[in-house]
């Protein structure tokens, strides 16, 4: 394919991590309560009971200390219907979202209502909490709410609380996000050339500097559209010896990560220097790319396994002094 | 004490709002926007004293995405730069204060975002309370629907009122080359569509848009040198409502009302550019800001016709300023929102004379 006219490269990207959050006295008690299938609200100086609880009084700004139990039944104050639930939401089949005022509370809680069909939802409808089988002290201990055309007194009976356990002090919430990352036209040309074993830089039309990878010139704010082939050998401008082991590390320490100023480029790239003891790597050392087997190439800088010394005399300091 | 400096908008540009704008970085999108905004202000890039941006890393799933975008400024040799993790309307507020304080005479404010890179309604769940709300992943459209229903059932507005907002916006957007959605339609046609999230239909929700915008600010005499008719900032204020959705009156938008009062919205207004990503929100904002029938709302078509996250609010201030700079309005309001269901609101009053 003609690299210049091909569409930008793009690829799916998934970001996943856990948020681990500490809970203060109010939210800690609230989550501990959920684990016992109880819902606690906070009482503020104006006598209002907030569910979810507030940590600070919005009127006096004092820490909230008065927690009171409310019922696990309530009334829908507003609602909507979800035909196609999204990843991570409480139910996988169509459901209603609702602002629910629990019996005994003055504010509303957002949660899902498993009503089967939108025709069963209405403002003013009575709902009751459906508990997760194994509560752990998290808002998702309430699996969802379900319609309950019963009076509060009848519904207040609850499952016996499990044996007391240490109070809940942290919650863990997994985050999972899916993206499609799209490279710029210049990055795409660079990555496609890399897949062919070539290093393609871009020259700034204003300052004439060659960037590798090509980018918008940070000095002039213009794209570096003129393509320049850069050689795969250059000079170590600066480096560090990695002595510290860490999770996911692919090489055994000590090893060298260096800034390599390729001949023909005006900005160094970061890569590994192997092929000599770490203690022998020095500023000004001449190095050349060691490419992986051609069959392993793809659109990634990993096509170059590392850089290794060429044995040439060291470059004079003036030749890379601008990069330090 | 010295007389307070005046600050004016002297240039504005935005990229077309697109459902899919290519590159995730935003840098390439920003380059031509900066060139046009600076050309309109008659200012050279090196004459900008202060740069301030608004964006959000979660949108593109890239850490420090605003740092990459700084390339488009030409940040070498070093410049004076700042960033807010919000709509760039709040970056505009920062630049406004910076100029008022005498620390800069000119500023360029910009916002950018590629909303299409991820699943926007899910990504926005992460701006909710992280303990009791975000772990349920409620999407932004459903949350807006809860607000719309409250307003409908309280008799503040109807689904037909909402459809008419969409009709007017699309007709006005036909004259806006940056609009993503535009064209003549009728409320009957729109109301025949199915619900996306009852009571919201597709026309009630802003499209998912990629884009960028830039605004140039200048102080007193500098502004007069650069333009015959700068859009002077007569007042700017922002306010915030509690994070808990059940802790505030979703149908009244108290923070918008408070910001409008603090910014001095009262008086004869010709135009208001309201950042309302949902039709019902425009109606709630009109009430909160106390805008009468004589005020022309969103002649640009508004966010309903193109809503690039983190620049759509700034673009409302820019569009209002354009009305003043072009002479079509003597006094205008630019409004921006952030957070779920109009939780945070910024109001900027612009005038022809100072
Ligand atoms: Zn350059």
């Amino acid at each position: 394919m003609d690299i210049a006219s091909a569409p930008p490269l793009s690829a799916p990207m998934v970001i996943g991590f856990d948020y681990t959050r500490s809970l203060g006295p109010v939210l800690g008690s609230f989550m501990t309560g959920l684990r016992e299938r109880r819902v606690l609200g906070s009482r503020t100086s104006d006598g209002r009971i907030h569910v979810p609880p507030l940590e600070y009084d919005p009127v006096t700004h004092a820490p909230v200390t008065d927690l009171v139990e409310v019922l696990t039944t309530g009334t829908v104050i507003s609602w909507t219907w979800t035909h196609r639930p999204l990843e991570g939401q409480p139910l996988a089949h169509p459901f209603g979202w609702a602002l629910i005022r629990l019996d005994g509370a003055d504010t509303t809680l957002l949660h899902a209502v498993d009503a089967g069909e939108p025709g069963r939802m209405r403002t003013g409808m009575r709902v009751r909490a459906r508990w997760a089988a194994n509560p752990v002290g998290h808002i998702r201990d309430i699996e969802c709410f379900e319609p309950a055309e019963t009076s509060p007194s009848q519904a207040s009976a609850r499952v016996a609380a499990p044996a007391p356990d240490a109070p809940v002090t942290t919650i863990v919430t997994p985050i999972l996000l899916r993206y499609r990352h799209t490279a710029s036209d210049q990055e795409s040309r660079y990555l496609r050339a890399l897949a062919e074993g070539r290093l393609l830089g871009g020259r700034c039309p204003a300052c004439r500097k060659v960037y590798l990878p090509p980018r918008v010139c940070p000095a002039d704010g213009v794209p570096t559209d003129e393509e320049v082939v850069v050689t795969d050998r250059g000079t170590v401008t600066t480096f560090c010896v990695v002595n510290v082991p860490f999770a996911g590390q692919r090489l055994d320490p000590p090893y060298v990560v260096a800034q390599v100023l390729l001949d023909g480029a005006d900005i160094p790239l970061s890569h590994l220097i192997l092929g000599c003891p770490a203690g022998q790597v020095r500023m000004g050392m001449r190095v050349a790319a060691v490419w992986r087997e051609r069959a392993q190439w793809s659109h990634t800088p990993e096509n170059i396994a590392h850089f290794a010394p060429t044995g040439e005399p060291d470059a004079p300091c003036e030749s890379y002094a601008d990069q330090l | 004490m010295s007389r307070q400096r005046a600050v004016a908008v002297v240039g504005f540009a935005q990229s077309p709002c697109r459902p899919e704008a290519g590159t995730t970085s935003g840098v390439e999108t920003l380059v031509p926007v900066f060139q046009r905004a600076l050309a309109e202000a008659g200012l050279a890039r090196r004459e900008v004293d202060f740069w301030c941006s608004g964006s959000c890393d979660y949108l593109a799933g890239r850490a420090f995405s605003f740092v990459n975008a700084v390339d488009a400024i030409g940040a070498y040799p070093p410049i004076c730069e700042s960033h807010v993790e919000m709509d760039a309307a709040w970056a505009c507020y920062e630049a406004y204060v910076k100029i008022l304080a005498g620390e800069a005479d000119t500023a360029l404010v910009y916002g950018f975002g590629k909303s299409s890179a991820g699943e926007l309604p899910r990504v926005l769940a992460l701006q909710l309370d992280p303990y009791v709300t975000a772990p349920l992943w409620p999407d932004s459209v459903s949350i807006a629907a809860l607000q719309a229903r409250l307003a409908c059932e309280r008799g503040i507005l109807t689904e037909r009122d909402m459809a008419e907002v969409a009709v007017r916006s699309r007709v006005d957007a036909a004259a806006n080359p940056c609009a993503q959605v535009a064209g003549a339609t009728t409320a009957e046609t729109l109301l025949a569509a199915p619900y996306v999230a009852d009571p919201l239909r597709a026309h009630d929700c802003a499209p998912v848009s990629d884009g960028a915008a830039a605004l140039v600010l200048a102080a007193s005499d500098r502004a007069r040198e650069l333009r015959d008719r700068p859009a002077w900032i007569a007042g700017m204020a922002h306010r915030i409502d509690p994070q808990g959705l059940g802790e505030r009156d979703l149908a009244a938008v108290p923070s918008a009302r408070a910001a409008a009062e603090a910014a001095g919205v009262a008086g004869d207004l010709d135009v208001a550019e309201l950042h309302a990503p949902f039709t019902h929100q425009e109606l709630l904002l009109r009430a909160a800001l106390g805008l009468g029938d004589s005020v022309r709302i969103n002649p640009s078509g508004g966010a309903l016709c193109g809503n690039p996250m983190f620049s759509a609010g700034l673009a409302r201030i820019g569009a209002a300023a354009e009305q003043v700079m072009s002479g079509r309005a003597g006094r205008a309001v630019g409004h921006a929102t952030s957070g779920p269901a109009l939780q945070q609101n910024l109001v900027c009053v612009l005038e022809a004379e100072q």
Side-chain angles (χ1 to χ4, degrees):
Chain A
M1 185 162 22
D2 177 8
I3 286 180
S5 63
L9 285 169
S10 78
M13 179 173 75
V14 179
I15 293 176
F17 57 91
D18 285 348
Y19 266 132
T20 304
R21 294 178 186 276
S22 333
L23 304 166
V26 171
L27 286 166
S29 299
F30 178 70
M31 298 301 177
T32 303
L34 292 178
R35 194 180 58 189
E36 296 162 3
R37 299 191 172 98
R38 303 159 61 211
V39 178
L40 298 180
S42 61
R43 196 197 319 259
T44 47
S45 59
D46 54 7
R48 282 162 57 84
I49 294 173
H50 303 255
V51 177
L54 293 182
E55 295 176 281
Y56 291 89
D57 190 310
V59 179
T60 65
H61 311 149
V64 169
T65 53
D66 190 7
L67 297 180
V68 292
E69 186 170 355
V70 299
L71 298 182
T72 62
T73 51
T75 303
V76 168
I77 302 303
S78 185
W79 62 273
T80 184
W81 189 258
T82 289
H83 299 275
R84 281 183 295 278
L86 301 178
E87 191 170 13
Q89 293 183 341
L91 296 165
H93 54 265
F95 67 92
W97 285 110
L99 290 171
I100 299 161
R101 187 161 60 219
L102 292 181
D103 297 322
D106 293 298
T107 67
T108 61
L109 168 81
L110 177 70
H111 220 301
V113 178
D114 191 5
E117 52 172 288
R120 281 193 80 190
M121 296 290 299
R122 61 179 174 80
T123 300
M125 80 187 283
R126 300 283 303 157
V127 293
R128 90 176 123 232
R130 181 197 294 165
W131 293 97
N134 298 301
V136 294
H138 194 275
I139 188 64
R140 299 195 70 144
D141 290 349
I142 300 177
E143 195 171 272
C144 63
F145 283 78
E146 54 193 23
E149 299 302 333
T150 52
S151 70
S153 57
Q154 287 172 295
S156 62
R158 60 168 192 264
V159 182
D165 206 342
V168 178
T169 57
T170 61
I171 58 165
V172 177
T173 301
I175 303 295
L176 188 71
L177 297 165
R178 299 177 195 280
Y179 296 92
R180 173 153 287 271
H181 180 77
T182 307
S184 71
D185 288 339
Q186 298 144 12
E187 286 169 328
S188 298
R189 291 200 290 269
Y190 166 74
L191 295 170
R192 285 194 165 104
L194 206 51
E196 297 172 357
R198 295 186 297 133
L199 292 164
L200 203 58
R203 189 187 304 278
C204 172
C207 67
R208 310 299 295 160
K209 284 198 184 335
V210 173
Y211 289 90
L212 186 96
R215 60 195 275 192
V216 169
C217 174
D220 296 294
V222 290
T224 54
D225 276 333
E226 184 191 328
E227 291 181 3
V228 179
V229 176
V230 172
T231 64
D232 65 353
R233 59 175 57 208
T235 302
V236 172
T237 63
T238 186
F239 66 95
C240 74
V241 181
V242 178
N243 287 299
V244 181
F246 55 84
Q249 197 168 40
R250 297 187 196 179
L251 294 173
D252 292 330
Y255 59 90
V256 174
V257 176
Q259 293 287 91
V260 178
L261 183 65
L262 295 177
D263 299 343
D266 290 298
I267 190 167
L269 61 79
S270 186
H271 221 304
L272 300 166
I273 309 292
L274 303 177
C276 69
Q280 287 181 14
V281 176
R282 59 199 178 268
M283 292 167 76
M285 184 184 232
R286 295 285 296 163
V287 292
V290 177
W291 293 79
R292 292 183 197 279
E293 293 287 324
R294 187 166 195 124
Q296 295 174 18
W297 289 355
S298 67
H299 302 86
T300 156
E302 291 187 337
N303 292 359
I304 295 175
H306 58 269
F307 281 79
T310 63
E312 294 167 85
D314 285 6
C317 185
E318 308 85 73
S319 66
Y320 58 88
D322 285 353
Q323 305 297 332
L324 299 176
Chain B
M1 202 170 108
S2 64
R3 197 168 63 91
Q4 182 169 296
R5 285 150 64 90
V7 181
V9 177
V10 294
F12 170 63
Q14 65 183 125
S15 71
C17 302
R18 293 206 181 97
E20 167 78 61
T23 169
T24 306
S25 74
V27 184
E28 291 76 10
T29 310
L30 283 168
V31 170
V33 173
F34 287 169
Q35 287 169 347
R36 289 210 314 280
L38 289 169
E40 205 200 303
L43 200 64
R45 191 166 54 88
R46 297 283 180 215
E47 292 179 283
V48 175
D49 295 335
F50 180 57
W51 301 77
C52 200
S53 64
S55 69
C56 174
D57 286 354
Y58 273 117
L59 217 55
R62 286 164 58 102
F64 297 103
S65 58
F66 72 95
V67 173
N68 290 72
V70 166
D71 277 359
I73 298 173
Y76 183 86
I79 51 159
C80 186
E81 186 266 345
S82 186
H83 173 256
V84 299
E85 194 79 2
M86 283 190 80
D87 190 288
W90 276 263
C92 182
Y93 190 90
E94 182 176 337
Y96 170 67
V97 171
K98 190 101 171 168
I99 294 176
L100 278 185
E103 292 185 14
D105 282 339
T106 57
L108 190 146
V109 180
Y110 63 101
F112 63 96
K114 184 175 166 65
S115 311
S116 70
E119 302 162 274
L120 184 63
R122 265 188 98 245
V123 169
L124 291 178
L126 296 180
Q127 69 185 334
L128 300 162
D129 173 280
Y131 300 97
V132 296
T133 312
L136 305 173
W137 293 91
D139 55 282
S140 50
V141 175
S142 294
I143 288 173
L146 296 171
Q147 181 180 41
R149 179 176 305 285
L150 276 176
C152 285
E153 293 184 348
R154 210 178 285 174
I156 296 170
L157 48 89
T158 66
E159 291 178 27
R160 171 164 290 271
D161 295 336
M162 289 155 59
E164 281 166 2
V165 166
V167 171
R168 194 213 65 237
S169 301
R170 291 177 185 203
V171 168
D172 283 342
N176 178 359
C178 293
Q180 182 178 336
V181 179
T185 184
T186 64
E188 284 70 25
T189 311
L190 297 179
L191 287 168
Y195 288 122
V196 174
D198 190 331
L200 301 180
R201 298 175 172 86
H203 68 261
D204 294 308
C205 313
V208 173
S209 313
D210 296 349
L215 193 73
V216 185
L217 300 178
S220 305
D221 292 346
R222 196 79 177 93
R224 288 186 192 92
E225 280 165 31
L226 293 170
R227 276 200 99 104
D228 290 339
R229 193 181 155 94
W232 298 99
I233 297 175
M236 176 142 55
H238 60 117
R239 293 289 187 272
I240 179 168
D241 281 317
Q243 189 172 32
L245 291 164
E247 288 290 331
R248 59 180 162 122
D249 183 352
L250 289 175
V253 203
S255 61
R257 190 179 298 273
E261 195 180 312
V265 167
D268 286 341
L269 276 179
D270 300 308
V271 167
E273 281 280 345
L274 305 178
H275 184 197
F278 298 91
T279 51
H280 70 276
Q281 293 182 343
E282 179 189 304
L283 298 165
L284 296 181
L285 286 167
R286 286 170 67 158
L289 269 58
L291 306 180
D293 291 341
S294 63
V295 182
R296 184 153 185 226
I297 307 293
N298 290 358
S300 68
L304 287 169
C305 298
N307 186 36
M309 296 300 297
F310 303 96
S311 68
L314 181 72
R316 302 283 71 72
I317 299 175
E322 272 188 337
Q323 293 283 323
V324 173
M325 291 189 288
S326 67
R328 290 191 296 273
R331 197 160 177 275
V333 156
H335 159 270
T337 194
S338 185
L342 301 174
Q343 184 206 10
Q344 305 174 43
N345 293 280
L346 180 148
V347 173
C348 179
V349 180
L350 298 146
E351 289 177 350
E353 298 302 324
Q354 187 74 19

PDB file of all heavy atoms in Angstrom, chain A residues 129-141:
ATOM      1  N   ALA A 129     -35.318  -2.748  48.063  1.00  0.00           N
ATOM      2  CA  ALA A 129     -33.959  -3.165  47.691  1.00  0.00           C
ATOM      3  C   ALA A 129     -33.898  -4.673  47.509  1.00  0.00           C
ATOM      4  O   ALA A 129     -34.511  -5.432  48.268  1.00  0.00           O
ATOM      5  CB  ALA A 129     -32.975  -2.728  48.764  1.00  0.00           C
ATOM      6  N   ARG A 130     -33.185  -5.101  46.480  1.00  0.00           N
ATOM      7  CA  ARG A 130     -32.833  -6.519  46.328  1.00  0.00           C
ATOM      8  C   ARG A 130     -31.348  -6.625  46.633  1.00  0.00           C
ATOM      9  O   ARG A 130     -30.526  -5.969  46.001  1.00  0.00           O
ATOM     10  CB  ARG A 130     -33.101  -6.989  44.902  1.00  0.00           C
ATOM     11  CG  ARG A 130     -32.785  -8.467  44.685  1.00  0.00           C
ATOM     12  CD  ARG A 130     -32.650  -8.808  43.217  1.00  0.00           C
ATOM     13  NE  ARG A 130     -33.911  -8.646  42.513  1.00  0.00           N
ATOM     14  CZ  ARG A 130     -34.025  -8.595  41.183  1.00  0.00           C
ATOM     15  NH1 ARG A 130     -32.942  -8.685  40.418  1.00  0.00           N
ATOM     16  NH2 ARG A 130     -35.200  -8.443  40.623  1.00  0.00           N
ATOM     17  N   TRP A 131     -31.037  -7.467  47.621  1.00  0.00           N
ATOM     18  CA  TRP A 131     -29.652  -7.521  48.089  1.00  0.00           C
ATOM     19  C   TRP A 131     -28.838  -8.535  47.303  1.00  0.00           C
ATOM     20  O   TRP A 131     -29.338  -9.573  46.878  1.00  0.00           O
ATOM     21  CB  TRP A 131     -29.613  -7.865  49.579  1.00  0.00           C
ATOM     22  CG  TRP A 131     -30.196  -6.764  50.420  1.00  0.00           C
ATOM     23  CD1 TRP A 131     -31.464  -6.697  50.904  1.00  0.00           C
ATOM     24  CD2 TRP A 131     -29.538  -5.564  50.819  1.00  0.00           C
ATOM     25  NE1 TRP A 131     -31.656  -5.529  51.584  1.00  0.00           N
ATOM     26  CE2 TRP A 131     -30.478  -4.810  51.565  1.00  0.00           C
ATOM     27  CE3 TRP A 131     -28.250  -5.054  50.637  1.00  0.00           C
ATOM     28  CZ2 TRP A 131     -30.171  -3.571  52.114  1.00  0.00           C
ATOM     29  CZ3 TRP A 131     -27.946  -3.821  51.187  1.00  0.00           C
ATOM     30  CH2 TRP A 131     -28.899  -3.096  51.919  1.00  0.00           C
ATOM     31  N   ALA A 132     -27.565  -8.234  47.145  1.00  0.00           N
ATOM     32  CA  ALA A 132     -26.627  -9.198  46.553  1.00  0.00           C
ATOM     33  C   ALA A 132     -26.496 -10.398  47.491  1.00  0.00           C
ATOM     34  O   ALA A 132     -26.687 -10.274  48.699  1.00  0.00           O
ATOM     35  CB  ALA A 132     -25.270  -8.536  46.362  1.00  0.00           C
ATOM     36  N   ALA A 133     -26.180 -11.541  46.908  1.00  0.00           N
ATOM     37  CA  ALA A 133     -26.108 -12.770  47.717  1.00  0.00           C
ATOM     38  C   ALA A 133     -25.027 -12.662  48.785  1.00  0.00           C
ATOM     39  O   ALA A 133     -25.217 -13.120  49.912  1.00  0.00           O
ATOM     40  CB  ALA A 133     -25.839 -13.965  46.806  1.00  0.00           C
ATOM     41  N   ASN A 134     -23.910 -12.048  48.430  1.00  0.00           N
ATOM     42  CA  ASN A 134     -22.801 -11.963  49.383  1.00  0.00           C
ATOM     43  C   ASN A 134     -22.331 -10.525  49.546  1.00  0.00           C
ATOM     44  O   ASN A 134     -21.376 -10.106  48.914  1.00  0.00           O
ATOM     45  CB  ASN A 134     -21.624 -12.828  48.913  1.00  0.00           C
ATOM     46  CG  ASN A 134     -22.011 -14.290  48.835  1.00  0.00           C
ATOM     47  OD1 ASN A 134     -22.407 -14.895  49.828  1.00  0.00           O
ATOM     48  ND2 ASN A 134     -21.943 -14.838  47.632  1.00  0.00           N
ATOM     49  N   PRO A 135     -23.011  -9.744  50.395  1.00  0.00           N
ATOM     50  CA  PRO A 135     -22.626  -8.339  50.556  1.00  0.00           C
ATOM     51  C   PRO A 135     -21.205  -8.215  51.114  1.00  0.00           C
ATOM     52  O   PRO A 135     -20.798  -9.010  51.970  1.00  0.00           O
ATOM     53  CB  PRO A 135     -23.645  -7.798  51.560  1.00  0.00           C
ATOM     54  CG  PRO A 135     -24.656  -8.877  51.778  1.00  0.00           C
ATOM     55  CD  PRO A 135     -24.107 -10.159  51.265  1.00  0.00           C
ATOM     56  N   VAL A 136     -20.475  -7.228  50.600  1.00  0.00           N
ATOM     57  CA  VAL A 136     -19.090  -7.050  51.025  1.00  0.00           C
ATOM     58  C   VAL A 136     -18.824  -5.662  51.613  1.00  0.00           C
ATOM     59  O   VAL A 136     -17.724  -5.380  52.076  1.00  0.00           O
ATOM     60  CB  VAL A 136     -18.128  -7.256  49.830  1.00  0.00           C
ATOM     61  CG1 VAL A 136     -18.172  -8.694  49.342  1.00  0.00           C
ATOM     62  CG2 VAL A 136     -18.451  -6.284  48.679  1.00  0.00           C
ATOM     63  N   GLY A 137     -19.837  -4.787  51.574  1.00  0.00           N
ATOM     64  CA  GLY A 137     -19.619  -3.416  52.013  1.00  0.00           C
ATOM     65  C   GLY A 137     -19.325  -2.521  50.832  1.00  0.00           C
ATOM     66  O   GLY A 137     -18.259  -1.912  50.731  1.00  0.00           O
ATOM     67  N   HIS A 138     -20.251  -2.441  49.898  1.00  0.00           N
ATOM     68  CA  HIS A 138     -20.091  -1.690  48.648  1.00  0.00           C
ATOM     69  C   HIS A 138     -21.502  -1.311  48.208  1.00  0.00           C
ATOM     70  O   HIS A 138     -22.461  -2.009  48.541  1.00  0.00           O
ATOM     71  CB  HIS A 138     -19.417  -2.593  47.596  1.00  0.00           C
ATOM     72  CG  HIS A 138     -18.890  -1.862  46.390  1.00  0.00           C
ATOM     73  ND1 HIS A 138     -19.671  -1.549  45.309  1.00  0.00           N
ATOM     74  CD2 HIS A 138     -17.637  -1.412  46.106  1.00  0.00           C
ATOM     75  CE1 HIS A 138     -18.905  -0.916  44.400  1.00  0.00           C
ATOM     76  NE2 HIS A 138     -17.685  -0.824  44.858  1.00  0.00           N
ATOM     77  N   ILE A 139     -21.618  -0.198  47.436  1.00  0.00           N
ATOM     78  CA  ILE A 139     -22.947   0.223  46.999  1.00  0.00           C
ATOM     79  C   ILE A 139     -23.618  -0.886  46.187  1.00  0.00           C
ATOM     80  O   ILE A 139     -24.853  -1.009  46.158  1.00  0.00           O
ATOM     81  CB  ILE A 139     -22.870   1.558  46.205  1.00  0.00           C
ATOM     82  CG1 ILE A 139     -24.270   2.114  45.921  1.00  0.00           C
ATOM     83  CG2 ILE A 139     -22.093   1.400  44.904  1.00  0.00           C
ATOM     84  CD1 ILE A 139     -25.067   2.507  47.136  1.00  0.00           C
ATOM     85  N   ARG A 140     -22.819  -1.751  45.570  1.00  0.00           N
ATOM     86  CA  ARG A 140     -23.413  -2.819  44.756  1.00  0.00           C
ATOM     87  C   ARG A 140     -23.884  -3.994  45.602  1.00  0.00           C
ATOM     88  O   ARG A 140     -24.369  -4.987  45.052  1.00  0.00           O
ATOM     89  CB  ARG A 140     -22.457  -3.239  43.653  1.00  0.00           C
ATOM     90  CG  ARG A 140     -22.176  -2.041  42.727  1.00  0.00           C
ATOM     91  CD  ARG A 140     -21.549  -2.398  41.453  1.00  0.00           C
ATOM     92  NE  ARG A 140     -22.448  -3.118  40.582  1.00  0.00           N
ATOM     93  CZ  ARG A 140     -22.461  -2.959  39.258  1.00  0.00           C
ATOM     94  NH1 ARG A 140     -21.646  -2.083  38.684  1.00  0.00           N
ATOM     95  NH2 ARG A 140     -23.257  -3.664  38.510  1.00  0.00           N
ATOM     96  N   ASP A 141     -23.785  -3.864  46.924  1.00  0.00           N
ATOM     97  CA  ASP A 141     -24.464  -4.834  47.789  1.00  0.00           C
ATOM     98  C   ASP A 141     -25.970  -4.738  47.553  1.00  0.00           C
ATOM     99  O   ASP A 141     -26.694  -5.712  47.720  1.00  0.00           O
ATOM    100  CB  ASP A 141     -24.165  -4.567  49.267  1.00  0.00           C
ATOM    101  CG  ASP A 141     -22.720  -4.899  49.618  1.00  0.00           C
ATOM    102  OD1 ASP A 141     -22.033  -5.516  48.779  1.00  0.00           O
ATOM    103  OD2 ASP A 141     -22.299  -4.516  50.726  1.00  0.00           O
TER     104      ASP A 141
END
